[in-house]
Amino acid sequence: MTQTPKPSELDKRMAPLSGSKTAMRWHDPARPPFRLAGFPWHARDAVYRRLPRRPAGELPEAVDRLANCTAGGQISFQSDSSQIVIRVELAGRADMNHMPATGQCGFDLYTGPPFAQRYHSTSKYDHLQTSYEVLLYEHPRRVLRSFTLNFPLYQGVKRVQIGLTPEAQLVPPLPWSAAGRIVIYGTSITQGGCASRPGLAYTNILSRALNTEVINLGFSGNGRGEPAVIHVVADVPKPRLFVLDYEANSAGKLQTTLPDAIDILRDRHRRVPLLVVSRIAYSRDATHGDSLQARERSRDMQSELVADLRNQGDDDLYFFDGSTLLGSDFDECTVDGVHPNDLGFMRIARGLAPVIQSILDEKARERSSADDKRKTVQGSALEIASSPGPSSQ
């Protein structure tokens, strides 16, 4: 019997990639001039981890373990290197049956300046291994270019090095559009299940679209709104916006956990905008009335809670109906009826980006107006202080 050949034996583009045959200079991306994003506590803990190594409170075990998955991590820099090689040591092997190893354990590379980044390549490797070295970029012309590498979505990274040609320039990346972070707390969908490669997780698409740091705090099967976890979410330094997108894992407890989560975040960040997003449509919603009705009840509960809190004076609280994000053909946007494919993630990001940008713009206008008023008051005070008193007769 003739054995079916492996695709990689017939098509060299299907085969794993290897490293460069040229001698490289190896760099630690956690050190300047590289910009490491997505790991708020890396400067203190020196590990690629999304939550603190030793949080103040005790985290659920599953959340603590999932925090080692590097979803949302990014390395950015500028260089004129003719080659870029990545050397990676993973914490484990690819082991998911509905998500490619390139999304679980791979890095992908984007080139170009802010708002004009283009996908270039992915680290294709032997997924039975826990370490790899891959040539991601090669170009005959040495021109200073911008590069961003996205970390794996569903695996830990023990070590990563960036290889550049010895004579290459290495300079800091172009800056973010604004300081501060968008912090998104959610489920496996937020974490990136099941994108084919890291740059297509919706948090990474948003980061490119808005040119801002996005912290991915999605925990597969475990975004449940536990107070201990929300307290750590509130500890992320320099937040510009919080997004709560965890209905899918709430197990019917959202009516209790969501008000508590908002209270915890508001206790720490009184005026930081907070966006609540209800869950996306599942394929089951098209055929099972109970699934659709449950989604609609949960959506209405979240919308009404936000409206009530806004009526009580929280003007920085917002709601968005996530069931609209995938469009009318939502059933084509997942790999298993729940977890988005690449099309689904692109639609989620394109739906959320203008909403988030509008909120940030509104907040910026408020700050500008407040600054103008403060300057006016200060100017009036100076005029009074410097004006001559009544003349004596």
Side-chain angles (χ1 to χ4, degrees):
M1 181 182 290
T2 304
Q3 208 171 26
T4 303
K6 294 180 180 179
S8 58
E9 294 174 351
L10 303 177
D11 185 349
K12 65 180 182 180
R13 293 182 182 274
M14 294 289 188
L17 300 174
S18 59
S20 173
K21 296 179 181 179
T22 304
M24 308 299 286
R25 177 175 295 172
W26 294 97
H27 302 265
D28 179 354
R31 297 181 178 178
F34 293 96
R35 181 180 68 203
L36 183 67
F39 306 111
W41 292 275
H42 185 277
R44 184 187 71 189
D45 295 341
V47 291
Y48 299 119
R49 178 176 158 88
R50 296 181 292 154
L51 294 179
R53 200 170 191 174
R54 296 180 180 84
E58 185 175 354
L59 294 173
E61 181 184 356
V63 172
D64 191 53
R65 291 170 59 189
L66 287 164
N68 292 315
C69 295
T70 54
Q74 294 180 353
I75 300 164
S76 299
F77 59 100
Q78 293 185 90
S79 179
D80 63 353
S81 181
S82 59
Q83 293 185 338
I84 297 176
V85 180
I86 190 166
R87 181 185 285 171
V88 180
E89 182 181 355
L90 300 168
R93 292 183 356 186
D95 60 359
M96 295 172 71
N97 59 17
H98 63 332
M99 182 173 179
T102 46
Q104 288 184 66
C105 303
F107 282 75
D108 63 9
L109 176 70
Y110 280 73
T111 66
F115 303 112
Q117 294 186 64
R118 300 300 297 264
Y119 165 73
H120 185 75
S121 59
T122 305
S123 54
K124 296 190 298 181
Y125 73 103
D126 179 354
H127 67 271
L128 298 178
Q129 304 301 315
T130 58
S131 61
Y132 56 82
E133 183 177 314
V134 173
L135 173 67
L136 286 179
Y137 175 86
E138 187 169 24
H139 201 291
R141 291 181 60 223
R142 288 187 53 200
V143 178
L144 191 67
R145 293 181 172 91
S146 295
F147 298 98
T148 296
L149 285 154
N150 296 293
F151 274 76
L153 300 172
Y154 264 80
Q155 189 52 266
V157 173
K158 290 183 176 180
R159 188 183 185 207
V160 56
Q161 291 179 296
I162 308 299
L164 305 176
T165 51
E167 73 283 359
Q169 292 185 72
L170 175 61
V171 298
L174 297 171
W176 299 119
S177 293
R181 297 165 164 132
I182 296 172
V183 183
I184 305 183
Y185 171 73
T187 65
S188 53
I189 295 171
T190 303
Q191 185 172 331
C194 293
S196 65
R197 54 182 177 81
L200 289 174
Y202 86 79
T203 59
N204 282 330
I205 301 173
L206 285 174
S207 179
R208 292 193 299 276
L210 303 173
N211 188 35
T212 195
E213 184 175 7
V214 177
I215 305 300
N216 183 321
L217 296 184
F219 300 104
S220 193
N222 287 273
R224 298 173 181 167
E226 303 98 329
V229 179
I230 301 299
H231 276 290
V232 182
V233 174
D235 286 340
V236 173
K238 301 177 182 177
R240 292 178 67 200
L241 170 72
F242 289 104
V243 179
L244 296 178
D245 180 18
Y246 72 95
E247 177 191 340
N249 286 169
S250 63
K253 297 180 179 179
L254 193 66
Q255 197 160 358
T256 300
T257 62
L258 183 58
D260 289 346
I262 293 172
D263 284 345
I264 290 169
L265 292 171
R266 277 289 170 258
D267 187 55
R268 291 287 309 279
H269 303 281
R270 185 63 56 185
R271 297 306 307 274
V272 173
L274 198 165
L275 174 64
V276 175
V277 180
S278 61
R279 79 160 171 87
I280 61 172
Y282 297 164
S283 60
R284 183 182 173 89
D285 296 346
T287 54
H288 290 66
D290 57 341
S291 179
L292 175 61
Q293 291 164 13
R295 188 195 78 201
E296 291 176 340
R297 285 195 301 270
S298 186
R299 175 201 63 195
D300 293 345
M301 182 278 293
Q302 295 172 80
S303 175
E304 290 165 7
L305 172 64
V306 169
D308 288 345
L309 292 173
R310 285 182 65 88
N311 288 335
Q312 294 173 34
D314 191 345
D315 295 333
D316 294 307
L317 186 60
Y318 304 85
F319 171 78
F320 186 82
D321 180 1
S323 69
T324 65
L325 288 168
L326 299 183
S328 60
D329 57 345
F330 56 87
D331 49 309
E332 298 287 5
C333 295
T334 73
V335 299
D336 56 5
V338 174
H339 297 94
N341 54 27
D342 297 341
L343 171 63
F345 277 122
M346 188 62 72
R347 290 188 179 177
I348 291 172
R350 287 181 174 174
L352 288 178
V355 176
I356 291 173
Q357 188 64 65
S358 176
I359 293 170
L360 296 176
D361 289 346
E362 181 180 330
K363 196 66 180 176
R365 286 193 296 270
E366 288 178 8
R367 283 195 296 267
S368 177
S369 177
D371 288 344
D372 289 344
K373 289 179 181 178
R374 185 163 53 250
K375 290 176 182 177
T376 300
V377 171
Q378 290 173 344
S380 299
L382 285 171
E383 287 178 12
I384 293 170
S386 61
S387 63
S391 57
S392 54
Q393 300 294 327

